[in-house]
Coordinates of all heavy atoms in Angstrom, one line a residue:
A1056 N -7.4 7.6 21.4 CA -6.8 6.3 21.4 C -7.0 5.6 20.0 O -6.8 4.4 19.9 CB -7.5 5.4 22.4
R1068 N -17.2 11.7 17.7 CA -18.1 11.9 18.8 C -17.4 12.5 20.1 O -16.2 12.6 20.0 CB -18.7 10.5 19.2 CG -17.7 9.5 19.8 CD -18.4 8.3 20.4 NE -17.3 7.7 21.2 CZ -17.5 6.7 22.2 NH1 -18.7 6.3 22.4 NH2 -16.5 6.1 22.9
V1069 N -18.2 12.9 21.0 CA -17.6 13.5 22.2 C -16.6 12.4 22.8 O -17.0 11.4 22.9 CB -18.7 13.9 23.2 CG1 -18.0 14.3 24.5 CG2 -19.6 14.9 22.6
P1070 N -15.4 12.9 23.1 CA -14.4 11.8 23.6 C -14.9 11.2 24.8 O -15.6 11.8 25.6 CB -13.1 12.8 23.8 CG -13.2 13.8 22.8 CD -14.7 14.2 22.8
S1071 N -14.4 10.0 25.0 CA -14.7 9.3 26.3 C -13.9 9.8 27.4 O -12.8 10.2 27.2 CB -14.1 7.8 26.0 OG -14.0 7.1 27.3
L1072 N -14.6 9.9 28.6 CA -13.9 10.4 29.8 C -12.9 9.5 30.4 O -12.2 9.9 31.4 CB -15.1 10.8 30.8 CG -16.0 11.9 30.5 CD1 -17.1 12.0 31.6 CD2 -15.3 13.2 30.3
L1073 N -12.9 8.3 30.0 CA -11.9 7.3 30.4 C -10.9 7.0 29.5 O -9.6 7.2 29.7 CB -12.6 6.0 30.7 CG -13.6 5.8 31.8 CD1 -14.4 4.5 31.8 CD2 -12.8 5.9 33.1
L1074 N -11.2 6.6 28.3 CA -10.3 6.2 27.3 C -9.5 7.2 26.8 O -8.3 7.1 26.5 CB -11.0 5.4 26.2 CG -10.3 4.9 25.1 CD1 -9.5 3.5 25.5 CD2 -11.2 4.5 23.9
E1075 N -10.0 8.4 26.5 CA -9.5 9.5 25.7 C -9.1 10.6 26.6 O -9.3 11.8 26.3 CB -10.4 9.8 24.6 CG -10.5 8.7 23.6 CD -11.8 8.6 22.8 OE1 -12.8 9.2 23.3 OE2 -11.8 7.9 21.7
M1088 N -15.6 5.0 37.9 CA -16.0 3.7 37.2 C -15.7 2.6 38.0 O -16.3 1.6 38.2 CB -15.3 3.8 35.8 CG -15.6 2.5 35.0 SD -17.4 2.3 34.6 CE -17.6 3.3 33.1
Y1153 N -23.8 0.6 16.9 CA -23.1 1.7 17.7 C -21.7 1.2 18.1 O -20.6 2.0 17.8 CB -23.8 2.1 18.9 CG -23.3 3.3 19.6 CD1 -23.4 4.6 19.1 CD2 -22.5 3.2 20.8 CE1 -22.8 5.6 19.7 CE2 -21.8 4.2 21.4 CZ -22.0 5.5 20.8 OH -21.4 6.6 21.4
G1154 N -21.6 0.1 18.8 CA -20.3 -0.5 19.1 C -19.3 -0.7 17.9 O -18.2 -0.3 17.9
V1157 N -17.9 2.7 17.0 CA -17.0 3.1 18.0 C -15.7 2.6 17.7 O -14.5 3.2 17.6 CB -17.4 2.8 19.4 CG1 -16.2 3.0 20.4 CG2 -18.6 3.6 19.8
F1158 N -15.7 1.2 17.4 CA -14.4 0.5 17.1 C -13.8 0.9 15.8 O -12.6 0.8 15.5 CB -14.5 -0.9 17.3 CG -14.7 -1.3 18.8 CD1 -15.9 -1.5 19.4 CD2 -13.4 -1.2 19.7 CE1 -15.9 -1.8 20.8 CE2 -13.6 -1.3 21.1 CZ -14.9 -1.7 21.6
F1161 N -11.7 4.1 15.7 CA -10.3 4.2 16.2 C -9.3 3.9 15.0 O -8.2 4.1 15.1 CB -10.1 3.0 17.2 CG -10.8 3.3 18.5 CD1 -11.4 2.2 19.0 CD2 -10.9 4.5 19.0 CE1 -12.2 2.3 20.3 CE2 -11.6 4.7 20.2 CZ -12.2 3.5 20.9
L1216 N -22.0 10.1 30.3 CA -20.9 9.7 29.5 C -20.0 8.4 30.0 O -19.7 7.7 29.1 CB -19.8 10.9 29.3 CG -20.1 11.9 28.1 CD1 -19.0 12.9 28.1 CD2 -20.0 11.2 26.8
L1217 N -20.1 8.4 31.2 CA -19.5 7.0 31.7 C -20.4 5.9 31.5 O -20.0 4.8 31.2 CB -19.2 7.2 33.2 CG -18.0 8.1 33.6 CD1 -17.8 8.2 35.1 CD2 -16.7 7.7 32.9
V1218 N -21.7 6.0 31.6 CA -22.7 4.9 31.1 C -22.3 4.6 29.6 O -22.3 3.5 29.2 CB -24.0 5.4 31.3 CG1 -25.0 4.1 30.9 CG2 -24.3 5.7 32.8
R1219 N -22.1 5.8 28.8 CA -21.8 5.5 27.4 C -20.6 4.7 27.3 O -20.4 3.8 26.4 CB -21.6 6.9 26.7 CG -21.7 6.7 25.2 CD -21.2 8.0 24.6 NE -19.8 8.2 24.7 CZ -19.0 9.2 24.2 NH1 -19.5 10.0 23.3 NH2 -17.8 9.3 24.3
S1220 N -19.5 4.9 28.1 CA -18.3 4.1 28.0 C -18.8 2.6 28.2 O -18.3 1.8 27.6 CB -17.3 4.5 29.1 OG -16.6 5.6 28.5
L1221 N -19.6 2.3 29.3 CA -20.1 1.0 29.5 C -20.6 0.3 28.3 O -20.4 -0.9 27.9 CB -21.0 0.8 30.7 CG -20.5 1.1 32.2 CD1 -21.7 1.1 33.1 CD2 -19.5 0.1 32.5
L1222 N -21.5 1.0 27.7 CA -22.2 0.7 26.4 C -21.3 0.5 25.2 O -21.5 -0.3 24.3 CB -23.5 1.5 26.1 CG -24.5 1.6 27.3 CD1 -25.7 2.3 26.8 CD2 -25.0 0.1 27.8
S1223 N -20.3 1.4 25.1 CA -19.5 1.3 23.9 C -18.5 0.2 24.0 O -18.2 -0.3 23.0 CB -18.6 2.7 23.9 OG -19.5 3.9 23.9
A1224 N -17.9 0.0 25.2 CA -16.7 -0.9 25.3 C -17.1 -2.4 25.8 O -16.3 -3.2 25.8 CB -15.7 -0.3 26.3
G1225 N -18.5 -2.5 26.3 CA -18.9 -3.7 26.9 C -19.6 -4.7 26.1 O -19.8 -5.8 26.7
T1228 N -16.9 -6.2 22.5 CA -15.8 -6.9 23.0 C -16.0 -8.2 23.5 O -15.4 -9.2 23.1 CB -15.1 -5.9 24.1 OG1 -16.2 -5.6 25.0 CG2 -14.4 -4.7 23.6
F1271 N -9.5 -7.4 20.7 CA -9.0 -6.1 20.4 C -7.6 -6.0 19.8 O -6.7 -6.6 20.4 CB -8.9 -5.3 21.8 CG -9.3 -3.9 21.9 CD1 -10.3 -3.5 22.7 CD2 -8.6 -2.9 21.1 CE1 -10.7 -2.1 22.8 CE2 -8.9 -1.6 21.2 CZ -9.9 -1.2 22.1
F1274 N -4.7 -0.2 19.5 CA -5.0 1.2 19.8 C -3.8 2.0 19.8 O -2.8 1.5 19.6 CB -5.9 1.3 21.1 CG -5.4 0.6 22.2 CD1 -4.3 1.1 22.9 CD2 -6.0 -0.6 22.7 CE1 -3.9 0.5 24.1 CE2 -5.6 -1.2 23.8 CZ -4.5 -0.7 24.5
F1327 N -6.4 -7.1 27.3 CA -7.2 -6.0 28.1 C -6.2 -4.7 28.2 O -6.6 -3.9 29.0 CB -7.6 -6.5 29.5 CG -8.6 -7.6 29.5 CD1 -8.3 -8.8 30.2 CD2 -9.8 -7.4 28.9 CE1 -9.3 -9.8 30.1 CE2 -10.8 -8.3 28.9 CZ -10.6 -9.6 29.5
H1332 N -4.9 2.8 31.9 CA -5.9 2.7 30.9 C -6.4 1.1 30.8 O -7.2 0.7 29.8 CB -5.7 3.3 29.6 CG -5.8 4.8 29.7 ND1 -6.9 5.5 29.7 CD2 -4.7 5.6 29.6 CE1 -6.6 6.8 29.8 NE2 -5.2 6.9 29.8
G1333 N -5.8 0.2 31.4 CA -6.0 -1.2 31.5 C -7.6 -1.4 31.5 O -8.3 -0.7 32.3
C1334 N -8.1 -2.3 30.7 CA -9.7 -2.5 30.7 C -10.4 -2.4 32.0 O -10.1 -3.2 32.9 CB -10.0 -3.8 30.0 SG -11.6 -4.2 29.9
A1335 N -11.3 -1.4 32.2 CA -12.0 -1.3 33.4 C -13.1 -2.3 33.5 O -13.5 -2.6 34.7 CB -12.7 0.2 33.3
G1336 N -13.4 -3.0 32.5 CA -14.4 -4.0 32.6 C -14.0 -5.4 32.6 O -14.8 -6.3 32.4
T1371 N -10.8 -2.2 14.3 CA -10.0 -2.4 15.6 C -10.3 -3.7 16.2 O -9.4 -4.3 16.9 CB -10.5 -1.3 16.6 OG1 -10.3 0.0 16.0 CG2 -9.8 -1.4 17.9
V1372 N -11.5 -4.3 16.2 CA -11.8 -5.4 16.9 C -12.2 -6.6 15.9 O -12.6 -6.2 14.7 CB -13.1 -5.4 17.9 CG1 -12.5 -4.7 19.1 CG2 -14.2 -4.7 17.3
Ligands
OVV1784 C1 -11.9 0.7 25.7 C2 -13.0 1.4 25.1 C3 -13.4 1.0 23.8 C4 -14.5 1.7 23.3 C5 -15.1 2.9 24.0 C6 -14.5 3.2 25.3 C7 -13.6 2.4 25.8 C8 -15.2 4.4 25.9 O1 -14.8 4.7 27.0 O2 -16.2 4.9 25.4

Side-chain angles (χ1 to χ4, degrees):
R1068 64 170 196 163
V1069 175
S1071 161
L1072 294 177
L1073 286 172
L1074 181 73
E1075 293 152 340
M1088 183 57 89
Y1153 184 77
V1157 169
F1158 289 102
F1161 298 134
L1216 271 177
L1217 289 180
V1218 180
R1219 194 194 69 171
S1220 281
L1221 288 176
L1222 299 183
S1223 304
T1228 48
F1271 213 124
F1274 49 74
F1327 291 124
H1332 289 282
C1334 178
T1371 303
V1372 285

